[in-house]
Amino acid sequence: MSIRQPDGRSQRLWSDLVPGAALPGTSEAPSGNVLGRITFADAPAEPALDDGIPRLTTHLANPHVRPAEEIWRTDLPVRAGSAGDAVYAEDGEHLFYAARLGPLPVYREQVRELYEDALRFTWERGYTDLVRMWNLIGGITSPNADGLEIYRDFCIGRAEAFATFEEQFPQLPAATGIGTLSPGVDLCFLAAKPGRAVHLENPRQTPAYKYPSTYGPKSPSFARATYLRDIAGQGPGRLFVSGTASILGDDTVHVGDVAQQTEETLRNIEALVGSDNLRRHGVDGAGYDVKDLDQIKVYVRDAEDIPVVRGICESAFPRDTDIEYFNVAVCRSDLLVEIEGVCR
């Protein structure tokens, strides 16, 4: 996988998805100022400032998949720091924030507090456009101490925090909620100064925040994608695609068939990123094909299914596309695969 340079000076936020062989300590430092690193390792660690750079280390690597790291960079000067147990960096246009909760019998109250602290911090610094969130949840489909699925437990706390800050953040951003291989919850996100983010839904899917109570006491709090306009408003923006799975309406489809679920997921992404859907959300002059997706993470529940999913993805995406595969649970027990990425 090659390390890419930014597409132009006016687009000041970009990322690289780096394979394990190029993790810090074994490769040259990336060009540009680093806002944050997300390390997908074989064990979790508390968020930390590593040589002045925020790092979130989450447990997504196992014997079936290699470690990897996502590096978020900017060409603007960066200032980093800590806020309680969280770490962050900002460049005056973008904010990277990372925090972690250790294992708990029930998560909702601590998740609410975690999110409220994060949203308050973000708002006070003027980053009023939430752009992209990652929620990495150990035992995501396992029961908590009350017998409620951990993801549903998590969703209660997240929804309550967003309700508290509904006036400040009236629209939900793109997000992924995915399992990890160790207990606890890792949170990281990107936010931007106001006026640049447009949040999108998928015409083939019910908005997640409108799911019926069948899927839990509180609906998941995220949009299907977020389009981040260029800072200067003169160049193309970037489209952040949320974790996407084999769901039509609000129903899981192709239960038990990983190949069909992967194909349906790609069809969902195609509908989401196309010009018709972007125009429907007021984004003119833009539109993508599924082949434009890059910085792709593919989450596969069962290790034996990875070769099948890999084969379909290799056929769907250009050879030079950055893709990493992870062997973790998805947010529903009947979902076998989930895919996310960035169109640029």
Side-chain angles (χ1 to χ4, degrees):
M1 268 178 214
S2 61
I3 298 225
R4 290 178 169 82
Q5 297 301 317
D7 298 335
R9 296 297 292 181
S10 63
Q11 180 61 51
R12 294 175 174 170
L13 177 69
W14 73 98
S15 68
D16 293 296
L17 191 58
V18 184
L23 287 177
T26 62
S27 68
E28 295 181 2
S31 61
N33 299 315
V34 179
L35 274 171
R37 299 178 185 265
I38 308 169
T39 301
F40 308 102
D42 56 7
E46 293 298 318
L49 292 175
D50 189 349
D51 292 329
I53 298 170
R55 181 193 299 279
L56 179 72
T57 302
T58 189
H59 186 184
L60 264 71
N62 67 8
H64 302 289
V65 297
R66 62 189 180 184
E69 186 170 69
E70 191 161 37
I71 304 168
W72 286 97
R73 299 182 288 172
T74 172
D75 58 9
L76 296 171
V78 171
R79 184 178 72 86
S82 58
D85 294 331
V87 293
Y88 71 92
E90 58 183 328
D91 67 0
E93 288 288 343
H94 311 99
L95 171 74
F96 176 92
Y97 183 101
R100 174 174 171 77
L101 283 178
L104 293 167
V106 176
Y107 283 99
R108 66 198 70 171
E109 288 299 324
Q110 284 74 18
V111 166
R112 178 182 57 77
E113 292 176 6
L114 178 78
Y115 257 83
E116 287 183 352
D117 288 344
L119 295 174
R120 184 179 300 107
F121 180 90
T122 302
W123 177 262
E124 289 174 351
R125 275 175 161 68
Y127 298 96
T128 59
D129 282 359
L130 296 173
V131 176
R132 184 63 166 92
M133 290 186 153
W134 290 268
N135 306 282
L136 305 135
I137 304 165
I140 190 167
T141 56
S142 299
N144 69 6
D146 293 337
L148 183 66
E149 184 184 79
I150 287 175
Y151 182 59
R152 300 182 181 198
D153 179 13
F154 166 88
C155 285
I156 294 171
R158 177 174 59 174
E160 289 176 348
F162 272 120
T164 299
F165 283 85
E166 184 177 10
E167 182 176 343
Q168 294 88 341
F169 300 102
Q171 293 186 301
L172 299 170
T176 294
I178 201 70
T180 70
L181 302 172
S182 290
V185 174
D186 296 311
L187 166 67
C188 63
F189 63 85
L190 295 161
K193 287 298 176 74
R196 294 173 56 203
V198 180
H199 306 297
L200 284 71
E201 293 304 322
N202 194 320
R204 305 179 89 228
Q205 298 179 306
T206 303
Y209 51 82
K210 293 184 178 179
Y211 279 177
S213 59
T214 307
Y215 299 104
K218 293 288 185 179
S219 299
S221 305
F222 69 95
R224 299 295 181 184
T226 295
Y227 183 78
L228 184 65
R229 300 184 190 276
D230 173 68
I231 292 174
Q234 299 175 349
R238 189 152 299 191
L239 182 62
F240 296 83
V241 175
S242 298
T244 305
S246 181
I247 295 172
L248 293 179
D250 56 60
D251 296 323
T252 300
V253 295
H254 311 301
V255 173
D257 189 329
V258 69
Q260 287 295 317
Q261 285 202 9
T262 305
E263 297 283 6
E264 197 69 64
T265 297
L266 295 174
R267 286 191 287 270
N268 277 336
I269 293 172
E270 184 79 38
L272 176 66
V273 305
S275 57
D276 287 348
N277 195 46
L278 267 67
R279 281 196 298 269
R280 187 179 296 116
H281 289 85
V283 181
D284 295 325
Y288 303 93
D289 185 271
V290 70
K291 295 181 184 297
D292 295 319
L293 198 67
D294 204 356
Q295 307 298 316
I296 298 171
K297 302 188 201 77
V298 181
Y299 307 101
V300 185
R301 192 189 74 180
D302 300 319
E304 60 268 26
D305 288 338
I306 293 175
V308 174
V309 176
R310 188 189 300 272
I312 294 171
C313 289
E314 288 177 352
S315 297
F317 299 111
R319 181 172 295 181
D320 63 348
T321 303
D322 285 350
I323 309 178
E324 290 294 336
Y325 297 86
F326 301 101
N327 175 210
V328 293
V330 186
C331 64
R332 295 184 188 178
S333 59
D334 56 6
L335 287 174
L336 304 175
V337 64
E338 184 169 309
I339 300 174
E340 65 168 82
V342 182
C343 292
R344 54 183 177 176

